[in-house]
Every structure is written in C-alpha cells, then in structure tokens.
Amino acid sequence: MTKPEDMPTEYLENVQKVEQSEQDVIYQTYVSQSPEWHRKMTRQLLRKVDFHLLPCLILMYLLNFLDRNNLSQARLGTLEKDLKMEGTDYNLATSILFVGYLLMQLPSNLLLTRVRPSLLLGITMAIWGVISACQAATQSFTGLVLSRFFLVGSGAQEVDHADRIRSSWYTRQELSHRIAWFYAGSSLANAFGGLIGAGVLGNLDGAHNISGWRWLFIIEGCITVGISLISILFLPNYPATTSWLNETEKLYAQWRLIHDAGEADEAKSTNLREALWLVFSDKRIYLFILLQHSSLLSQNFQYFFPTIVQTLGYGNIETLLITAPVWIATFLVSLLVTWSSGRTNDRSLHIISLMLVSVVGCVICTATTNIGARFFGIMPMGAVSAYQIIIAWVANSFPRPLVKRSAAIATANMIGNTASIYGSYMWPSSSGPRYIAGGSATAGIALLVAILAFVIRMVHSRMNKRLDMAQDSSQVEDGGLEGRHTGIRYIL
C-alpha cells in the first residue's frame, strides 16, 4: 500500500478536503441561528474563556517580564560592584537576554502546534523560574551573562505561545483588547518590580549575608516556579480539545473563527519550510517585521528606566518607588486605547497618535533638565501602548491557517526583538542625565513607526478595495466556505 508520505500532494489535498467539509458542516449548523441566540452564546462562551485564559496569561507575562527586567532594579543595589561590572557591561547583560530568545523562536513556536499548549507553557515557565532564581548564585559578570542567555532562551517564548492561544479563541475584533490586558502585564511588572525592588533592597540587603539584589532574584524566581504548576491545570488548549467546554460550546467556538476569518484552528501543522513559505510569500510580512522591530527599538528605555528616573535627583529607594505610579498610569492608558482600537476596529490611527506622543516626550527629555518637564517626558505610555496594538494587528492580519499565523507572529517577534540586542547600547550611563543621543534616536524611530503604520493602512485599504470589486463582480460564488472568504477584510 502506498504511504501518504510517498504521495504528499495528493494526501495533503485529501486532508484539506476533509477539513473543509467538516468546517462547512460546523458553519451551516450555526449560521441560521438568530442574532439573539448568537449574542447569548457569545457571552456564555467568552465568560468561560476569559475566566480560564486571561488571568493565567496575564500573570504569566507579568512574571516573565518581571524576571527579565529585574536586572534594572538590581542595578540600583550592589550588583555592579559585587560582580565588578564597568563600562558597558550592564548593556551587554541586557542585550544578551535576547540572543537566546532569537535562537529558540521559530522551533518553539512550531512546537506549539504539536504539543498541548497548557503543558508546554507550564513547563517552560518552570524552567525559566528556576534559571531566574539561580542568577542569585552568580559570582562573576561572565556567570551573569550566561544565566541571562539561558533565561530568555528557555522562557521568553511564553509570550509568543500566548499570542497563538489567544488568537485561537477570539475573533479579530475581540483580540485587540484582550492582547492589551495581556501586554499590560509588562506595565504592571514594572510597577510591581519597582515596589518589590524598593522593599527587598531596602529591607533584605545583607540579610543572612546575602546581598539585596540576590534576594530579588531568589524571591521572584521562586514565585514564577509556583505559578507555573497552577498554569498547567488552568490554561485551555484549542477550542476542539478543551475539557471545560460542552460539545455545543466547542463547536460554536470553532464556528466563530470560521465566521470571522474563513476557517477554524486545527491543532496540526505542516513542516517548517511550508510554514515559512506561507508567510514570506505574503509581502506584507516585511512591513510588519519592520514595524514591530522599530516599535521595540523605540521602547528599549524600559530596561534603563530606573536609571533614567534617577537622573531626576532622587535616591535609590525613592527612584524605585517613583517608577510604580508611572507604570500604573501606562497600564491604564494601554487598556483605554486598546479598548478604543478594538471598538472602532482601527489600528493604524491609534498607533500613529501614540507614537507622536512618544516623539514629543523624547524631545522634552533631551531639550531640558527641568524636573517637572522631564518627569512628563519620560512617561512610557505612548510607545508601550502602541506596541500592544501592533501585536494585535499582526495576529489580525495573518488570521488563518494556524501554522501561517504561528510562523508570522514568530518571525515578526524574532526579527523584531533583534532591536533589543543593539538598542540597549543607545542608553550608556555616560550620556546622562539628558541622554541626548538615545532620546534623539528614539524620537526618530518613533516617527518611523508612525509612518510605517500609515503605509500598512494604505496597503490594507487597497487590498480591501480589490476584495470589494471581486465580490461585486461575482467572481466568487455565494454560499459555502469560499463564499465566506469574501467577507474577510483587512483591519486598517
């Protein structure tokens, strides 16, 4: 008997026909239901999904970012003195974080299409928590660099896995605000990080002959390990394979994705070469890669934020306490603008507006040493909030199939995060207190992000016009799965 792998083209075509037939059956089952029935089912389903999915993902990302960014709080302790760091050593310790991230990006994201998401996320979260705690044992700068390399190599993919899970449950309109809740975890992590750092450095420094920055790594790493065990039990997988949904809810969850983007997610994948071909044959990916790369570069100041705030003239503990309300304000602004983005179904105009705010802030910081003006200028809400909308825009723009979306988000994140490798050198301590070079470069990059958002808006607008013309000229017959594809329009 001929094996499927001996005739891959015919085999894949047969599988595609079967999956399309199954999706047609699911679609026809619910398409005739009344609007009231759909609203009731949507509310019922989203209550369950939000309850099981969002708290876990938000907490996971908060801890992920806390473990990645606690070096900025540790720096205000005796970290650099104890490890004999000098010059740009801190910049290297920051940038090396993302080398391991890049090496593991694509393999990890494609692994998600083969391994149960809740299990994969829980295990990797536990690994990064252990490595984070072990940073406390390092006795040299070399040891710190190695631990930082393996930290993100093991755990930063949590962010990308979460992107895939969310977009397997929510429609494009629902996705933006939920992504905001997730990425708001970074703002909360910075806020809590400042408070925890102030408490630990102020009260535990020297306890049991252990430096305060070492206690910081130990405490935050242990918390991460504990939460990882809980996440395995609570996190959902895909709509068709989640135990806490009844059969009607499972089918309706799939129907919503079919209705929104033409097909539901399947927990199956193709190989790496085919996934990359699907992504890179879509020329829009290059614009989105540049957009995400520039956006991440415009917010690299996060890893130096306590040091920048310290230029206002406050002590170490006071500086850490001051950072908390700044990040809480950023958290609230992020929720507001992403809710507005989802409600209006707009991405580009929101991004442009926020990045212009970032440009103004950077100009203020480099142009004056007035404490009040500089405190307003360092507010991170523009660039950070815009990035959360950009993440949603990438997932919205490559909706299905799952393997294409996985590869698209992974590729954009992978290349985007290279910005953090060299971007950390934009803020050397020697350029303080005004940081003219870093602030000026960040202002120019923020303006570039705004321009790219406008360009993508024009591209999507032109593509939507072509889809409208195709539908009006009846080039795609009505009804069935193909007919549903004509309803897809790219979000501007």
Side-chain angles (χ1 to χ4, degrees):
M1 180 180 293
T2 306
K3 296 181 180 179
E5 55 265 31
D6 295 330
M7 46 178 186
T9 302
E10 181 180 350
Y11 175 71
L12 290 174
E13 287 177 353
N14 289 336
V15 170
Q16 187 176 17
K17 288 178 181 178
V18 171
E19 291 178 353
Q20 181 172 316
S21 176
E22 291 175 350
Q23 292 185 13
D24 275 331
V25 171
I26 294 173
Y27 188 83
Q28 296 302 328
T29 300
Y30 296 107
V31 71
S32 60
Q33 296 289 344
S34 68
E36 292 77 12
W37 186 89
H38 281 287
R39 282 193 291 269
K40 179 182 177 181
M41 279 297 298
T42 297
R43 286 195 300 267
Q44 176 181 324
L45 179 66
L46 288 182
R47 274 198 301 267
K48 285 190 175 184
V49 177
D50 286 343
F51 175 77
H52 285 84
L53 186 61
L54 289 182
C56 274
L57 291 184
I58 292 170
L59 186 56
M60 290 176 73
Y61 186 58
L62 188 154
L63 292 171
N64 182 294
F65 202 88
L66 197 64
D67 289 336
R68 280 192 283 164
N69 205 35
N70 53 16
L71 192 67
S72 63
Q73 287 98 39
R75 188 186 193 188
L76 296 186
T78 59
L79 171 74
E80 291 181 302
K81 178 183 176 182
D82 292 347
L83 301 185
K84 298 178 175 58
M85 296 168 61
E86 56 186 22
T88 58
D89 284 351
Y90 177 81
N91 304 76
L92 175 59
T94 301
S95 64
I96 197 66
L97 194 74
F98 297 93
V99 176
Y101 178 91
L102 298 177
L103 293 176
M104 288 297 296
Q105 187 86 41
L106 276 175
S108 176
N109 277 276
L110 292 176
L111 182 63
L112 184 62
T113 63
R114 300 176 183 272
V115 179
R116 183 160 60 93
S118 58
L119 181 62
L120 182 61
L121 267 70
I123 291 175
T124 54
M125 183 180 182
I127 293 173
W128 106 58
V130 170
I131 296 175
S132 179
C134 288
Q135 290 178 104
T138 184
Q139 300 297 321
S140 66
F141 171 64
T142 300
L144 177 66
V145 169
L146 288 174
S147 62
R148 301 289 289 177
F149 172 82
F150 288 108
L151 173 66
V152 180
S154 65
Q157 284 70 34
E158 294 288 329
V159 178
D160 310 306
H161 298 342
D163 287 338
R164 240 69 69 226
I165 293 178
R166 280 193 309 272
S167 53
S168 296
W169 284 96
Y170 298 114
T171 65
R172 291 176 296 171
Q173 188 173 18
E174 297 163 351
L175 192 59
S176 177
H177 194 49
R178 274 131 180 122
I179 283 181
W181 276 100
F182 174 74
Y183 278 94
S186 66
S187 299
L188 291 177
N190 279 316
F192 287 126
L195 295 175
I196 294 172
V200 172
L201 296 181
N203 297 290
L204 290 181
D205 190 27
H208 301 287
N209 295 319
I210 299 176
S211 300
W213 64 269
R214 297 185 190 275
W215 279 115
L216 190 65
F217 289 138
I218 292 170
I219 292 171
E220 293 179 354
C222 289
I223 293 173
T224 298
V225 174
I227 297 298
S228 69
L229 303 178
I230 299 174
S231 67
I232 295 176
L233 301 176
F234 275 85
L235 272 176
N237 297 301
Y238 297 108
T241 59
T242 295
S243 59
W244 41 261
L245 294 180
N246 60 43
E247 289 304 316
T248 300
E249 290 169 336
K250 289 180 182 179
L251 291 174
Y252 187 69
Q254 296 174 73
W255 180 90
R256 282 164 26 89
L257 300 183
I258 298 170
H259 184 69
D260 180 60
E263 61 180 296
D265 280 342
E266 297 288 341
K268 304 172 184 177
S269 75
T270 184
N271 61 47
L272 176 61
R273 185 176 65 178
E274 291 170 337
L276 293 177
W277 170 253
L278 286 172
V279 172
F280 286 104
S281 59
D282 189 333
K283 296 180 181 178
R284 294 174 302 133
I285 189 62
Y286 303 102
L287 284 172
F288 277 106
I289 287 173
L290 184 56
L291 177 71
Q292 190 163 339
H293 182 93
S294 303
S295 176
L296 284 165
L297 189 58
S298 73
Q299 51 180 312
N300 260 295
F301 62 85
Q302 289 187 77
Y303 301 102
F304 303 85
F305 195 70
T307 303
I308 296 172
V309 173
Q310 196 173 38
T311 63
L312 297 176
Y314 297 100
N316 291 345
I317 305 303
E318 291 82 0
T319 294
L320 290 172
L321 292 174
I322 288 172
T323 61
V326 172
W327 287 110
I328 290 174
T330 301
F331 166 71
L332 296 175
V333 170
S334 297
L335 293 182
L336 176 63
V337 296
T338 49
W339 172 83
S340 173
S341 173
R343 188 70 177 267
T344 60
N345 227 24
D346 169 83
R347 303 290 182 268
S348 57
L349 297 182
H350 283 74
I351 294 169
I352 291 170
S353 300
L354 289 166
M355 294 314 298
L356 291 180
V357 170
S358 183
V359 171
V360 172
C362 289
V363 171
I364 291 174
C365 280
T366 57
T368 181
T369 56
N370 179 274
I371 292 180
R374 283 176 61 81
F375 188 79
F376 172 79
I378 62 175
M379 291 291 185
M381 57 191 62
V384 173
S385 300
Y387 180 70
Q388 295 169 16
I389 299 176
I390 289 171
I391 290 294
W393 206 9
V394 174
N396 294 157
S397 300
F398 303 90
R400 306 288 182 268
L402 171 63
V403 69
K404 179 179 179 180
R405 187 175 72 254
S406 296
I409 297 175
T411 302
N413 283 345
M414 179 180 69
I415 301 177
N417 274 284
T418 59
S420 299
I421 296 177
Y422 66 89
S424 61
Y425 290 92
M426 292 167 56
W427 303 92
S429 298
S430 58
S431 66
R434 290 172 62 183
Y435 294 97
I436 294 176
S440 301
T442 300
I445 295 163
L447 184 59
L448 174 62
V449 174
I451 293 171
L452 287 169
F454 179 77
V455 171
I456 295 175
R457 179 184 179 89
M458 294 298 100
V459 171
H460 278 185
S461 178
R462 187 171 58 182
M463 294 174 70
N464 287 342
K465 288 179 180 178
R466 286 203 296 263
L467 289 170
D468 290 337
M469 292 175 61
Q471 188 168 11
D472 292 341
S473 61
S474 300
Q475 292 181 6
V476 181
E477 67 180 66
D478 293 331
L481 188 60
E482 291 300 317
R484 292 197 301 280
H485 275 289
T486 63
I488 300 302
R489 295 297 181 269
Y490 294 101
I491 296 178
L492 302 182

